[in-house]
Amino acid sequence: MKIENQVTLEFPSRSANEGFARTAAACFAAQLDPTLEEINDIKTAVSEAVTNAIVHAYPDTLGKILLRLRIREDHALEIMVKDWGVGIADVEQARTPLFTTGTEDRSGMGFTIMESFMDTLKVRSTPEKGTTVTMARRIARRAGR
């Protein structure tokens, strides 16, 4: 699939950067002329992916997170969030609703939320090497634009 535009951002796994990542994704996605609902879905999915990396990939240390945003020729936004943290031993289990490795204040719904707001969600992980979450959302072309 041909890529029409892309941007890559790298930032430390500080909780303050979650808001930056979701805003950056929304600003980049704006070139697709999404609806407000589509923008909110994208922001929520990015927020979940970045928060997972901050909370679970680097529970006791500061690490780096990579956010890559691509506009594909099929008018879709592709989002990749990558970390080099502790990884996920069992991705299938981690994608189960309500499963969490965090504290009791974590809902265990991150992957479920990402999946519900995006058209596709892929999770690749290797223990002690990190996790890559790739998701995509096609933005419908609106009449007259």
Side-chain angles (χ1 to χ4, degrees), residues 9-27:
L9 305 168
E10 185 178 293
F11 49 89
S13 61
R14 297 184 191 284
S15 61
N17 287 331
E18 176 271 327
F20 165 73
R22 65 186 273 135
T23 301
C27 289

Side-chain angles (χ1 to χ4, degrees), residues 52-145:
N52 274 358
I54 291 167
V55 171
H56 300 290
Y58 304 109
D60 301 317
T61 187
L62 197 59
K64 71 178 177 179
I65 297 172
L66 184 99
L67 172 66
R68 185 185 69 204
L69 305 163
R70 291 179 166 177
I71 304 278
R72 300 188 320 215
E73 67 182 343
D74 63 348
H75 214 248
L77 175 68
E78 182 182 281
I79 302 161
M80 183 195 69
V81 176
K82 180 176 179 59
D83 67 67
W84 290 264
V86 300
I88 302 169
D90 186 339
V91 171
E92 189 174 324
Q93 182 183 35
R95 290 183 70 164
T96 303
L98 305 179
F99 176 82
T100 184
T101 58
T103 60
E104 69 270 355
D105 63 329
R106 310 302 317 169
S107 71
M109 294 296 290
F111 287 129
T112 302
I113 291 167
M114 286 179 248
E115 196 165 34
S116 70
F117 287 127
M118 304 306 284
D119 296 328
T120 62
L121 173 68
K122 295 177 186 164
V123 182
R124 290 188 340 244
S125 190
T126 303
E128 304 309 318
K129 293 193 177 184
T131 301
T132 301
V133 173
T134 305
M135 46 195 164
R137 171 79 181 256
R138 189 173 176 285
I139 305 299
R141 295 182 195 267
R142 294 193 274 170
R145 299 200 182 205

Side-chain angles (χ1 to χ4, degrees), residues 33-46:
D33 194 26
T35 64
L36 186 56
E37 181 180 352
E38 289 168 328
I39 282 288
N40 286 333
D41 290 352
I42 290 163
K43 288 168 66 176
T44 299
V46 168

Side-chain angles (χ1 to χ4, degrees), residues 6 12 59:
Q6 71 177 11

